[in-house]
């Protein structure tokens, strides 16, 4: 974990004063840290029964795609409103300041599909919870949620209570 934690750059006061932004671009350019992070997430999924990985744009694509590829699972891109070309199913959810809408192609998930959600960051949990609700409304089952980084002070894990949630590293109170 040390190499992963050490490879994440912290930028104070971005995007607003008082925020400690956890920048994964430094992790991504380090092949050892990047590989270790993806392997850690994939290893936590071994033995679970699932057929799809869903990842929200954009950083969920970065971690979700190699996991889906290496585990021979399908990948579902979860996009912001207006980014997908075919018929979609949408879900509005609350952010700290306002609302956002996520979308999945209507034909992306079939009843009975077993889905793992992968993203870079668990903060408030709003995006992940919205994806869970959307997948379940489409008849899919959430098997697990995996994140590279967790900010426990923001309470995302509590919002996702009842789901199998694991993270690679956490930044507490910093």
């Amino acid at each position: 974990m040390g190499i992963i934690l050490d490879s994440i750059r912290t930028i104070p006061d971005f995007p607003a004063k008082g925020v400690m932004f956890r920048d994964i671009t430094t992790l991504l350019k380090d092949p050892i840290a990047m590989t270790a992070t993806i392997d850690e997430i994939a290893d936590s999924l071994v033995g679970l029964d699932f057929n799809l990985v869903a990842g929200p744009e954009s950083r969920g694509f970065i971690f979700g795609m190699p996991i889906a590829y290496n585990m021979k699972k399908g990948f579902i891109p979860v996009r912001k409103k207006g980014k997908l070309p075919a018929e979609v199913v949408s879900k509005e959810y609350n952010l700290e300041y306002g609302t956002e809408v996520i979308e999945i192609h209507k034909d992306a998930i079939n009843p009975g599909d077993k889905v793992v959600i992968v993203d870079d960051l668990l903060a408030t949990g709003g995006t992940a919870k919205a994806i869970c609700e959307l997948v379940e409304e489409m008849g899919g089952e959430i098997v697990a949620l995996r994140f590279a980084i967790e900010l426990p002070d923001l309470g995302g894990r509590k919002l996702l209570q009842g789901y199998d949630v694991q993270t690679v590293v956490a930044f507490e109170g910093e």
Side-chain angles (χ1 to χ4, degrees):
M1 298 304 168
I3 189 163
I4 296 169
L5 199 57
D6 293 344
S7 71
I8 300 167
R9 174 173 43 198
T10 299
I11 302 174
D13 300 321
F14 181 83
K17 187 154 181 64
V19 174
M20 300 295 278
F21 185 81
R22 308 306 177 174
D23 178 20
I24 64 163
T25 61
T26 47
L27 177 142
L28 296 174
K29 78 173 188 176
D30 180 333
I32 295 170
M34 178 185 56
T35 302
T37 303
I38 291 167
D39 288 348
E40 182 80 20
I41 295 170
D43 289 349
S44 76
L45 298 171
V46 171
L48 295 182
D49 179 22
F50 67 101
N51 61 305
L52 296 170
V53 174
E57 71 174 73
S58 64
R59 294 177 303 240
F61 296 4
I62 293 170
F63 292 102
M65 264 305 301
I67 290 165
Y69 174 82
N70 286 327
M71 298 185 85
K72 299 188 180 359
K73 308 296 182 183
F75 181 78
I76 305 296
V78 181
R79 303 290 316 263
K80 293 177 182 169
K81 185 176 183 172
K83 302 284 187 173
L84 291 170
E87 190 174 356
V88 297
V89 179
S90 302
K91 184 75 170 178
E92 184 175 83
Y93 64 100
N94 293 323
L95 297 170
E96 190 173 355
Y97 302 105
T99 61
E100 183 66 74
V101 176
I102 56 164
E103 297 180 331
I104 299 174
H105 275 140
K106 189 174 183 178
D107 61 358
I109 296 174
N110 296 309
D113 279 339
K114 295 181 179 187
V115 181
V116 168
I117 298 168
V118 176
D119 203 0
D120 70 318
L121 180 70
L122 173 57
T124 64
T127 303
K129 181 69 171 175
I131 297 168
C132 290
E133 291 172 355
L134 192 54
V135 167
E136 290 168 344
E137 288 169 9
M138 295 173 75
E141 174 189 338
I142 301 298
V143 174
L145 293 97
R146 298 295 186 263
F147 304 90
I149 303 168
E150 180 177 5
L151 305 176
D153 294 345
L154 297 181
R157 188 177 288 267
K158 184 175 182 182
L159 186 63
L160 299 171
Q161 196 167 8
Y163 294 105
D164 174 5
V165 176
Q166 291 185 31
T167 61
V168 177
V169 296
F171 287 91
E172 294 194 50
E174 296 175 36

